[in-house]
Amino acid sequence: MAERSAPAEGLVVASYGRHCVVETPDGQRRICHPRGKKSQCVVGDRVLWQAPPPGQGDEGTIEKVQPRRNLFYRQDEIRTKSFAANLDQVLILIAAEPVFSESQLARALIAAEAERITPLIALNKSDLVEPFARAWERLLPYRHMAGSEGPDSRHYGVLPLSLAQSGEVDRAALMRHLRGKTTLVLGPSGSGKSTLINLLVPSAAAQTGEISQALNSGKHTTTSTTWYWVEDGEAGARHTALIDSPGFQEFGLRHLAPTDLARCMPDIGAHASECKFYNCTHLHEPGCAVRPLVESGDGAGSISANRYKIYSELFAELSEAPRY
Ligand code: GDP
Ligand code: ZN
């Protein structure tokens, strides 16, 4: 029997059903599958994998998935599924047009906060002057919100962009935030996500082509979540990465308990320690420090009425939903 070689390190750059594409430190990509029936890999996983013995095909086996720093989920009507791991940052790209859903934005932010990642919001299409001004105004609570990692953590940035008009300027601005990090890019369709990926990763089509080739499907395989290396002259290759994933609408929050929510909505969570009851839900209890701060019609209050509405709706949703 042929001797097996020692397991080697690799990075999962795409996953498709039970198969995934693993990239080796020298840039080779090959298709692998996890050894155990139950184990699953997601994009961003660091793994130990092993080549097959000679003559036994060319699919590698993933022997071990290294412990994850964080894990992101998506959900559909039926189930919740993990899709990306080990992220440094989440970039949420919305645009002046089409008008974004604040509730979807809030959900994506909560997913990031749940994994203790301070998100960055970018608002594209600043050239559409009036719609942009309206969208910028709607983002006021977000522009002033500090991340949940304590009083020193930075504010959620909102980066104005006009990707189709001033690509080079925007690229430089984006790179200041992205350099050296692995960033998950999320956004509703039409916001300019493809424009952004193509701007930062001119070889995006070639990189996905390699993945399809590694998957050896013979036809075009669209993986839902894809890792891209950003070509970055100064810092060199394989230093900065973007993970492109559809699924802004169905962001998975069902793994959270309703009582996790306040922590993941920093404008609300910041006041929770002042409530009379330590387990206050901020929905009906006496002595709640949060509710009096919710904006009323007279302009008083520091928590946006929309944000509080999203909080209470999500609280109800997570109380009803089966946990996964
Ligand atoms: P995706 O659906 O998020 O991938 O969005 P696309 O990158 O395909 O862009 C959607 C549309 O918005 C396209 O018609 C783009 O040309 C347009 N678009 C992208 N960036 C800008 C921008 O900065 N300003 C304007 N006015 N249009 C843009
Ligand atoms: Zn309270």
Side-chain angles (χ1 to χ4, degrees):
M1 206 171 124
E3 226 175 87
R4 290 183 80 95
S5 52
E9 285 177 13
L11 166 72
V12 175
V13 292
S15 82
Y16 187 72
R18 292 259 311 145
H19 287 105
C20 52
V21 178
V22 170
E23 186 179 279
T24 56
D26 63 358
Q28 307 269 353
R29 292 182 165 190
R30 63 191 298 163
I31 186 162
C32 291
H33 56 266
R35 181 175 288 287
K37 277 222 156 50
K38 284 205 175 126
S39 70
Q40 180 120 42
C41 304
V42 299
V43 171
D45 267 332
R46 307 277 158 175
V47 299
L48 290 178
W49 67 282
Q50 194 152 43
Q56 295 197 15
D58 41 33
E59 274 193 27
T61 307
I62 291 171
E63 303 287 349
K64 184 171 190 236
V65 178
Q66 305 287 16
R68 293 164 174 147
R69 277 193 288 137
N70 49 48
L71 187 59
F72 281 71
Y73 299 86
R74 71 166 82 255
Q75 76 196 22
D76 57 24
E77 292 296 307
I78 305 157
R79 61 192 183 141
T80 299
K81 211 169 164 291
S82 56
F83 72 98
N86 300 322
L87 308 176
D88 296 312
Q89 187 166 252
V90 176
L91 169 65
I92 299 167
L93 182 70
I94 47 183
E97 275 178 1
V99 171
F100 63 87
S101 148
E102 188 179 340
S103 153
Q104 279 171 17
L105 169 64
R107 295 173 84 101
L109 294 169
I110 289 166
E113 289 282 1
E115 298 297 321
R116 299 191 148 74
I117 288 177
T118 303
L120 171 67
I121 304 169
L123 181 64
N124 189 27
K125 310 196 188 181
S126 62
D127 52 292
L128 305 177
V129 177
E130 281 173 22
F132 185 87
R134 282 193 293 273
W136 190 252
E137 192 59 31
R138 284 179 73 206
L139 287 172
L140 184 70
Y142 300 87
R143 300 199 324 257
H144 291 194
M145 201 184 298
S148 63
E149 291 295 272
D152 296 333
S153 76
R154 66 175 172 81
H155 284 77
Y156 286 180
V158 179
L159 193 63
L161 298 172
S162 177
L163 291 165
Q165 305 278 317
S166 50
E168 279 313 305
V169 176
D170 287 351
R171 184 225 289 269
L174 281 162
M175 283 311 291
R176 279 197 287 281
H177 293 277
L178 305 179
R179 184 161 289 132
K181 294 184 175 153
T182 298
T183 303
L184 173 68
V185 186
L186 295 169
S189 82
S191 60
K193 203 147 67 82
S194 322
T195 310
L196 182 140
I197 302 273
N198 288 320
L199 177 70
L200 294 171
V201 190
S203 66
Q207 291 191 39
T208 20
E210 270 176 46
I211 288 172
S212 304
Q213 214 176 17
L215 281 167
N216 201 14
S217 59
K219 47 189 179 301
H220 283 290
T221 308
T222 39
T223 61
S224 53
T225 303
T226 309
W227 177 288
Y228 294 107
W229 290 112
V230 177
E231 288 112 291
D232 181 10
E234 285 170 46
R238 293 152 158 275
H239 178 69
T240 301
L242 295 183
I243 298 177
D244 180 20
S245 178
F248 198 58
Q249 283 84 346
E250 61 271 4
F251 225 93
L253 298 177
R254 283 189 208 161
H255 59 295
L256 298 178
T259 47
D260 291 333
L261 266 184
R263 171 177 72 76
C264 301
M265 297 183 77
D267 44 343
I268 291 171
H271 305 283
S273 65
E274 299 147 33
C275 297
K276 182 171 171 195
F277 299 109
Y278 80 95
N279 57 354
C280 184
T281 63
H282 323 303
L283 294 173
H284 49 72
E285 293 85 344
C288 175
V290 170
R291 280 201 324 279
L293 297 175
V294 177
E295 281 170 356
S296 48
D298 58 12
S302 60
I303 295 174
S304 122
N306 272 342
R307 292 274 301 167
Y308 183 74
K309 183 162 174 274
I310 290 167
Y311 169 83
S312 26
E313 284 169 0
L314 270 173
F315 196 99
E317 188 184 316
L318 296 179
S319 305
E320 283 159 19
R323 295 269 298 286
Y324 296 91

